[in-house]
Amino acid sequence: MALAKISGENRRTKSILFLICCALVGIFPHLLEPSNNLFPSITLAVLLGGYGLRVVLRENRQNYQLQKEYLINNETFFETLPKVDVLVAARDEENVIERLVSRLLSIEYPEEKLSLWIIDDGSQDRTPDLLQKLRSSFSKINVLSRPPLSGGGKSGALNSVLSKTDGEWLFILDADAQLQSNVLLRAIALALNGGWSGVQLRKSVVNCELNQIAVYQAMEMAMDAVIQRGRLACGGVSELRGNGQLINRKVLESCGGFNEQTITDDLDLSFRFLLTRSPIVIMWDPPIQEEAVESLSALFRQRKRWAEGGLQRFFDYWPLLFSKRLSNFKKIDLSCFFLLQYVLPVVSFIDCLVSIILFEMPLYWPLSIVAFGISSIAYWKGCSQN
């Protein structure tokens, strides 16, 4: 099965089968004798909880950081830097596009080795006009416009500019990204010094003062970084997160470019990097900052898309995930992540629903308590390191 040809056939059928299996798992303990009905949950709590606790405790802020700080101030280092293309796909971003250009122009990197590209992906607001004005004022900025309904989403926008660029590395940002001027130098140094094929900057929220929803998102991003780095420290898998990702162009091309058949390009690409044995590292400092969504409805839509995209990649690549391409430990890591991230929420919902119907206590509470406990430790650890 070629990675470039995976297009996600029969996703709806696979989704239905997934939900049926989760429903059966949620119902199963209620069919057992009372003396045994907590056994499935306790067993999973021990196995998944033990692994999750190991992941959280193994994470260390000093891991996977640039150890040789002198590199970014060394003249020889600057002379040997690879060419980098900075890519931003923007759609209806009139409120942030001027700030974005200012941030891009402040990036510290040899001018002859840096190319800045903004792809206007069929914007319907003032974004195209603003980009043209900015382009006339700042010759370093390259603008590519795609007509509305071009298809492929963010992946299509990024693919459209690849033939016009020739950088050895691609630094991909969202339009609302805010970054320190030396972040690219540090990410490149980390990638080259550590032999990484991809570097994902830790994400953080720039507008925490907005409301409590934004605060929770900031905490969640810190927790996610802790878990990702802990998984990597345990020999597991770490993933790209879209905004603030530095990726090797040759590896991307070997994977077939960005997948236009997925709604979460970063998660899909993470699996294709994994399957080509191209490691990704999470860099803690400096982070990439972005704006949190402002309302519960917007948060729900965002998380629904993330959950759907996350499941899609498991449906699309599962035969390869169980092949010899991955080590046994990475398979275990992915299995635990899949069970905790996608299966447990559905199973817990079914368990609660059956409990209400039968007037019984939920039976997966030991696993849920363990999962919440590990998440709380990761929240605390991530927030205390910020």
Side-chain angles (χ1 to χ4, degrees):
M1 183 184 298
L3 294 182
K5 294 183 179 179
I6 290 180
S7 57
E9 296 86 353
N10 303 317
R11 283 175 177 162
R12 179 169 296 181
T13 301
K14 294 173 184 176
S15 298
I16 293 173
L17 289 175
F18 168 76
L19 292 174
I20 290 174
C21 290
C22 288
L24 293 175
V25 172
I27 294 170
F28 174 70
H30 294 273
L31 304 179
L32 300 177
E33 294 293 329
S35 59
N36 296 322
N37 58 15
L38 285 177
F39 180 76
S41 179
I42 293 174
T43 301
L44 288 172
V46 171
L47 295 176
L48 296 179
Y51 181 74
L53 187 61
R54 182 170 183 261
V55 163
V56 173
L57 296 180
R58 283 290 299 274
E59 192 279 333
N60 188 312
R61 184 172 179 177
Q62 300 306 314
N63 289 345
Y64 315 116
Q65 288 298 110
L66 182 61
Q67 301 299 324
K68 299 178 180 179
E69 294 288 342
Y70 69 85
L71 280 176
I72 61 174
N73 297 313
N74 186 287
E75 184 176 342
T76 303
F77 172 68
F78 274 82
E79 292 175 354
T80 58
L81 282 172
K83 186 174 181 181
V84 177
D85 298 316
V86 180
L87 310 182
V88 184
R91 176 183 294 173
D92 297 334
E93 300 286 1
E94 62 180 8
N95 293 328
V96 298
I97 203 68
E98 292 177 305
R99 185 185 67 193
L100 168 68
V101 169
S102 175
R103 297 285 183 180
L104 294 182
L105 293 173
S106 71
I107 293 176
E108 296 175 5
Y109 208 80
E111 184 176 345
E112 70 279 6
K113 295 183 177 182
L114 185 66
S115 179
L116 307 174
W117 284 84
I118 300 177
I119 307 102
D120 171 33
D121 193 18
S123 297
Q124 300 295 304
D125 62 0
R126 295 175 53 244
T127 299
D129 295 333
L130 291 173
L131 280 175
Q132 290 307 316
K133 291 179 180 178
L134 291 166
R135 174 69 179 86
S136 62
S137 300
F138 305 103
S139 58
K140 290 183 182 179
I141 300 296
N142 299 285
V143 177
L144 176 67
S145 296
R146 293 215 307 164
L149 306 178
S150 294
K154 181 180 178 181
S155 293
L158 294 173
N159 279 333
S160 68
V161 81
L162 291 181
S163 62
K164 303 180 183 301
T165 61
D166 59 357
E168 300 171 57
W169 291 80
L170 304 176
F171 189 39
I172 300 171
L173 303 171
D174 286 350
D176 63 343
Q178 299 193 40
L179 61 159
Q180 295 183 22
S181 58
N182 69 342
V183 68
L184 179 55
L185 281 173
R186 296 179 62 85
I188 279 287
L190 178 61
L192 298 179
N193 202 41
W196 304 101
S197 298
V199 178
Q200 173 61 58
L201 308 185
R202 174 176 62 91
K203 296 172 67 175
S204 65
V205 168
V206 71
N207 56 339
C208 285
E209 74 287 346
L210 179 67
N211 54 34
Q212 202 62 33
I213 296 174
V215 173
Y216 291 146
Q217 290 173 76
M219 295 170 62
E220 182 186 31
M221 288 179 181
M223 177 195 72
D224 177 68
V226 167
I227 292 175
Q228 290 255 60
R229 286 158 56 87
R231 292 173 68 190
L232 187 60
C234 290
V237 177
S238 58
E239 301 174 330
L240 299 169
R241 288 293 182 257
N243 189 18
Q245 61 185 33
L246 177 71
I247 57 178
N248 185 283
R249 187 190 187 98
K250 286 185 178 179
V251 175
L252 175 66
E253 291 175 347
S254 72
C255 294
F258 297 97
N259 186 358
E260 298 184 23
Q261 303 299 318
T262 182
I263 58 175
T264 48
D265 59 285
D266 50 345
L267 299 180
D268 181 273
L269 187 58
S270 297
F271 267 19
R272 288 187 287 139
F273 267 51
L274 172 65
L275 292 167
T276 54
R277 297 184 177 90
S278 305
I280 299 167
V281 68
I282 309 299
M283 188 171 79
W284 190 273
D285 285 319
I288 188 81
Q289 295 182 306
E290 63 184 31
E291 295 181 352
V293 296
E294 301 181 5
S295 64
L296 284 175
S297 59
L299 183 65
F300 176 79
R301 289 193 299 270
Q302 181 192 68
R303 299 315 160 92
K304 178 177 178 294
R305 182 175 64 84
W306 288 359
E308 185 179 350
L311 272 175
Q312 279 182 2
R313 61 189 175 139
F314 279 98
F315 296 157
D316 293 348
Y317 297 102
W318 71 266
L320 296 177
L321 298 177
F322 287 96
S323 70
K324 294 181 179 180
R325 292 177 184 240
L326 300 186
S327 67
N328 289 332
F329 199 88
K330 282 184 169 55
K331 293 175 184 177
I332 293 172
D333 175 79
L334 283 172
S335 299
C336 292
F337 179 78
F338 179 77
L339 290 172
L340 289 169
Q341 184 80 9
Y342 300 105
V343 175
L344 178 58
V346 181
V347 168
S348 297
F349 174 78
I350 297 296
D351 178 36
C352 289
L353 186 62
V354 173
S355 298
I356 292 173
I357 294 173
L358 300 179
F359 298 99
E360 297 178 352
M361 285 289 293
L363 298 177
Y364 276 96
W365 60 264
L367 178 57
S368 298
I369 289 176
V370 168
F372 278 118
I374 292 172
S375 298
S376 298
I377 296 173
Y379 270 117
W380 169 80
K381 195 170 184 180
C383 293
S384 65
Q385 293 180 8
N386 267 336

